[in-house]
């Protein structure tokens, strides 16, 4: 009996945003829930935060959301009072309307006397603090909890509320790509005298597809030889319309193609067939797509934004440039387009860096250590 109690795993209640919709936070939360390592060390109970069915519902109010929230709150009360977990893992959204909902849920967790660890996946707290009510709520949110953040580079965003030494920093991780086999053709560079660029992200202005096409226009004017693929789900139809018009205005119809959203093997095939990955995002925390590109051995180009400098080692695995500077972006793209050996060495170094720091196995092992540390405090 004593031995049975000694070997009992601590109870961990997971409040996590799970797919749908599919984006960085939900993908990482699914990895936590499905982790065999986490389940080996904790008695896991999962309460999915699923108030939206797709990306188009994000930020919109629906009666269905209110009904789901009521049911969620009742389940949280039941699990908190009856199950009595030793720790609650919560992927809290720190800004916008979802923050007020999550603040209410966290207040309920604290009222039940439960210990919480908040895993933040975004930034914007500092900007949100311009409103006095948000400053008050953030102080209460970050009081008496443990914090996991994506990178020390993002700590400044919450520095007014929680010191650096009270934060655990955990880089995201993804599964290593499967072997593609011999069914695919070789990368296009080996079949034609033209380098292929790839942009893969949601089609919305803040992800930078328009900057990508403008930079390609500069390369065309300089007489460079290339092809480019744009892939991603359409979040803004206005952005897609502007993108298609811009491609026409810059006479890039024969060089640039939009192929829509791609997943799983189709997405892996895009990486396999490309030479250089470009993400000219305007606002980002920790883009998983950069890890995907590195895992496929592609050199990467992205701006100095969020935790991106913690992912790309400038001049070694890829090139960093100043956000929204299209000329600087085009220069980075041209430097890689012109230098096969540099592309190869950066791609190789990026893949090695991915395997050492950003695999799903590394992420799970570090998260398990963090959760165990939180329990011991």
């Amino acid at each position: 009996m004593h031995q049975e109690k000694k070997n009992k795993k601590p109870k961990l209640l997971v409040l996590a945003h799970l797919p749908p919709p599919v984006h960085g936070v939900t993908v990482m939360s699914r990895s936590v829930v499905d982790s065999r390592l986490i389940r080996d060390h904790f008695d896991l109970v999962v309460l999915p935060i699923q108030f939206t069915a797709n990306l188009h519902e994000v930020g919109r109010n629906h009666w269905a959301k209110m009904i789901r929230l009521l049911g969620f709150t009742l389940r949280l009360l039941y699990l908190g009072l009856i199950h009595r977990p030793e720790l609650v893992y919560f992927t809290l959204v720190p800004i916008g309307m979802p923050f007020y909902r999550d603040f209410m849920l966290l207040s309920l967790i604290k009222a039940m006397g439960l210990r919480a660890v908040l895993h933040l996946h975004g930034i914007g707290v500092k900007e949100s603090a311009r409103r006095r009510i948000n400053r008050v709520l953030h102080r209460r949110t970050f009081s008496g909890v443990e914090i996991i953040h994506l990178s020390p580079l993002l700590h400044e965003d919450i520095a007014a509320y929680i010191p650096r030494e009270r934060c655990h920093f955990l880089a995201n991780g993804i599964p290593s790509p499967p072997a593609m086999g011999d069914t695919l053709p070789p990368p296009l560079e080996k079949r034609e005298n033209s380098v292929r660029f790839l942009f893969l992200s949601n089609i919305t202005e803040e992800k930078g597809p328009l900057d990508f096409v403008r930079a390609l226009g500069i390369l065309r004017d300089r007489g460079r030889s290339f092809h480019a693929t744009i892939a991603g789900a359409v979040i803004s139809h206005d952005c897609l319309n502007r993108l298609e018009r811009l491609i026409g205005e810059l006479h890039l119809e024969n060089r640039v193609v939009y192929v829509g959203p791609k997943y799983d093997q189709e997405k892996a095939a895009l990486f396999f067939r490309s030479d250089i990955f470009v993400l000219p995002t305007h606002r980002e925390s920790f883009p998983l797509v950069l890890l995907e590109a590195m895992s496929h051995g592609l050199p990467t180009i992205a701006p100095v934004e969020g935790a991106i400098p913690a992912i790309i080692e400038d001049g070694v695995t890829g090139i960093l440039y100043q956000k929204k500077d299209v000329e600087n972006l085009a220069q980075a793209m041209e430097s890689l387009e012109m230098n096969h050996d540099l592309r190869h060495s950066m791609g190789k170094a990026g893949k090695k860096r991915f395997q050492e720091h950003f695999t799903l196995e590394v992420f799970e092992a570090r998260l398990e250590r963090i959760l165990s540390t939180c329990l011991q405090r």
Side-chain angles (χ1 to χ4, degrees):
M1 183 77 174
H2 177 73
Q3 185 66 25
E4 204 175 294
K5 186 175 181 180
K6 183 179 179 181
N7 294 334
K8 191 177 180 182
K9 292 184 289 189
K11 297 175 183 176
L12 178 67
L13 175 59
V14 175
L15 274 64
H17 298 80
L18 301 177
V22 176
H23 53 78
V25 177
T26 60
V27 169
M28 291 313 305
S29 296
R30 172 55 67 187
S31 298
V32 174
V33 169
D34 292 344
S35 170
R36 180 175 295 180
L37 179 66
I38 299 299
R39 289 183 177 273
D40 283 346
H41 286 81
F42 299 94
D43 178 10
L44 217 63
V45 175
V46 180
L47 188 50
I49 303 175
Q50 291 175 304
F51 301 118
T52 55
N54 55 61
L55 285 170
H56 296 285
E57 282 193 21
V58 175
R60 300 181 184 181
N61 295 318
H62 297 278
W63 283 107
K65 287 185 183 180
M66 299 302 296
I67 296 171
R68 292 173 198 152
L69 177 58
L70 177 60
F72 181 93
T73 304
L74 293 174
R75 290 195 298 273
L76 175 59
L77 274 170
Y78 172 79
L79 291 172
L81 295 173
I82 304 301
H83 188 70
R84 298 304 299 174
E86 280 88 347
L87 192 66
V88 179
Y89 170 88
F90 188 4
T91 56
L92 177 138
V93 179
I95 59 171
M97 288 303 296
F99 167 65
Y100 302 118
R101 174 203 68 205
D102 287 358
F103 173 79
M104 180 198 74
L105 296 174
L106 179 61
S107 298
L108 187 58
I109 290 168
K110 291 180 178 180
M112 289 187 287
L114 303 176
R115 299 169 59 195
V117 54
L118 308 182
H119 196 162
L120 305 182
H121 286 273
I123 55 176
V125 171
K126 193 173 182 180
E127 183 179 342
S128 172
R130 293 173 182 173
R131 295 183 61 189
R132 185 176 182 276
I133 182 63
N134 289 340
R135 292 197 297 273
V136 172
L137 295 181
H138 281 131
R139 275 196 294 272
R140 294 184 179 180
T141 296
F142 295 121
S143 173
V145 297
E146 299 275 353
I147 299 294
I148 302 174
H149 216 331
L150 296 164
S151 166
L153 294 176
L154 304 181
H155 175 256
E156 182 189 4
D157 191 52
I158 58 172
Y161 307 102
I162 189 162
R164 189 184 180 104
E165 57 270 18
R166 281 183 54 204
C167 289
H168 308 271
F169 297 107
L170 176 64
N172 286 333
I174 61 171
S176 299
M180 296 303 295
D182 300 323
T183 58
L184 290 171
L188 289 181
E189 184 186 10
K190 298 176 182 178
R191 294 189 284 127
E192 57 183 65
N193 187 26
S194 179
V195 168
R196 182 161 292 262
F197 294 99
L198 174 62
F199 169 95
L200 194 157
S201 189
N202 291 327
I203 304 302
T204 179
E205 188 168 356
E206 72 172 12
K207 295 297 183 179
L210 299 174
D211 287 0
F212 179 60
V213 172
R214 293 186 185 107
L216 292 172
I218 293 173
L219 295 190
R220 177 189 174 278
D221 292 343
R222 293 176 182 174
R224 306 312 309 170
S225 177
F226 62 86
H227 283 83
T229 300
I230 298 173
V234 178
I235 305 303
S236 168
H237 287 280
D238 175 66
C239 181
L240 179 63
N241 293 336
R242 291 169 61 194
L243 186 68
E244 292 173 339
R245 285 199 304 269
L246 186 61
I247 290 172
E249 291 168 3
L250 297 177
H251 307 292
L252 293 170
E253 299 94 333
N254 295 327
R255 299 192 187 208
V256 181
V257 59
Y258 169 64
V259 296
K262 297 296 177 182
Y263 305 102
D264 303 324
Q265 284 292 100
E266 286 188 320
K267 181 165 68 169
L270 277 182
F271 286 117
F272 182 81
R273 293 188 175 105
S274 300
D275 303 301
I276 301 166
F277 183 78
V278 186
L279 184 69
T281 180
H282 296 173
R283 183 181 178 86
E284 204 70 61
S285 298
F286 198 108
L288 296 182
V289 69
L290 286 178
L291 306 186
E292 293 182 274
M294 291 167 63
S295 74
H296 284 86
L298 293 185
T300 51
I301 300 174
V304 178
E305 168 68 6
I308 289 177
I311 301 173
I312 297 175
E313 195 172 356
D314 190 30
V316 179
T317 68
I319 299 177
L320 297 173
Y321 71 97
Q322 292 306 308
K323 181 172 63 175
K324 299 184 182 181
D325 188 338
V326 177
E327 285 284 345
N328 196 218
L329 170 60
Q331 183 178 340
M333 292 167 65
E334 185 177 27
S335 67
L336 288 183
E337 183 269 335
M338 295 176 63
N339 194 327
H340 172 275
D341 292 340
L342 183 60
R343 290 198 304 273
H344 178 74
S345 65
M346 283 187 170
K348 186 176 180 180
K351 188 168 186 175
K352 183 174 183 289
R353 182 169 173 78
F354 163 78
Q355 292 168 341
E356 292 176 350
H357 300 286
F358 302 121
T359 66
L360 189 57
E361 292 79 10
V362 170
F363 169 82
E364 290 176 355
R366 290 175 177 171
L367 177 60
E368 187 278 321
R369 286 198 296 270
I370 289 172
L371 294 176
S372 296
T373 299
C374 293
L375 276 173
Q376 292 168 10
R377 289 185 176 178

